[in-house]
């Protein structure tokens, strides 16, 4: 029939998920929870293993995305879900972006750096920060 409604965007599997924004209070709470989760011995060993696999190519962003981010996503999934983000790598990146939106808040900036430092090698921290702040790759 000629008068059918167009498909809703959400039906498109490739559509970007809704951007979730966090208040500074939520960003602070989410970061603190994430850091606590990342400190659990089980998760520390998972992250250390993933980072060790990357050690041969510490400045390779693709290695970070293939080896480390899936583990970080799995570890952080409970916090992602609690604050309305998808429990996948896109959700993790959106979470990090939502937190970076508050980077003028010194405490949030410090917590964000502490969180990123647990899974982003020093050699890639600048690249990742650029990606998250909307800069090109």
């Amino acid at each position: 029939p000629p008068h059918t409604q167009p498909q809703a965007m959400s039906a498109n599997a490739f559509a970007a998920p809704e951007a979730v924004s966090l208040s500074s209070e939520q960003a602070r709470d989410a970061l603190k929870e994430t850091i606590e989760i990342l400190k659990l011995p089980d998760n520390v060993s998972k992250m250390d293993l993933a980072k060790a696999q990357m050690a041969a190519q510490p400045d390779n962003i693709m290695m970070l995305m293939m080896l480390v981010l899936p583990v970080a996503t799995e570890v952080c999934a409970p916090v992602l879900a609690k604050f309305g983000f998808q429990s996948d790598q896109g959700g993790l990146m959106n979470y990090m972006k939502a937190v970076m939106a508050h980077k003028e808040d010194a405490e949030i900036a410090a917590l964000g750096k502490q969180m990123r430092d647990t899974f982003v090698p020093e050699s890639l921290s600048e690249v990742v920060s650029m990606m998250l702040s909307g800069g090109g790759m």
Side-chain angles (χ1 to χ4, degrees):
H3 299 296
T4 49
Q5 289 294 320
Q7 280 280 309
M9 280 306 288
S10 61
N12 179 349
F14 300 105
E18 281 295 303
V20 178
S21 60
L22 298 173
S23 68
S24 56
E25 198 60 41
Q26 289 172 316
R28 201 172 289 117
D29 290 347
L31 283 167
K32 286 177 181 171
E33 284 184 40
T34 304
I35 290 164
E36 285 310 305
I37 285 179
L38 287 164
K39 280 183 188 166
L40 296 173
D42 214 27
N43 293 335
V44 169
S45 53
K46 282 182 193 171
M47 293 306 303
D48 284 351
L49 182 64
K51 286 193 289 193
Q53 291 175 318
M54 225 190 117
Q57 301 180 47
D59 53 359
N60 184 334
I61 190 83
M62 293 313 292
M63 296 292 281
L64 177 75
M65 298 188 130
M66 290 184 329
L67 297 171
V68 180
L69 287 185
V71 177
T73 302
E74 176 197 327
V75 167
C76 298
V79 178
L80 295 176
K82 178 178 177 179
F83 288 90
F85 296 92
Q86 290 188 278
S87 299
D88 58 21
Q89 284 189 44
L92 179 65
M93 296 306 277
N94 286 336
Y95 165 52
M96 291 169 68
K97 276 185 186 166
V99 165
M100 294 271 295
H102 299 284
K103 63 178 182 263
E104 67 286 344
D105 178 311
E107 185 189 1
I108 291 174
L111 289 168
K113 180 170 174 15
Q114 188 181 343
M115 174 188 73
R116 284 193 309 281
D117 287 351
T118 57
F119 54 84
V120 177
E122 191 61 45
S123 53
L124 284 173
S125 62
E126 218 170 283
V127 177
V128 170
S129 290
M130 268 178 39
M131 286 169 62
L132 293 172
S133 57
M137 282 195 54

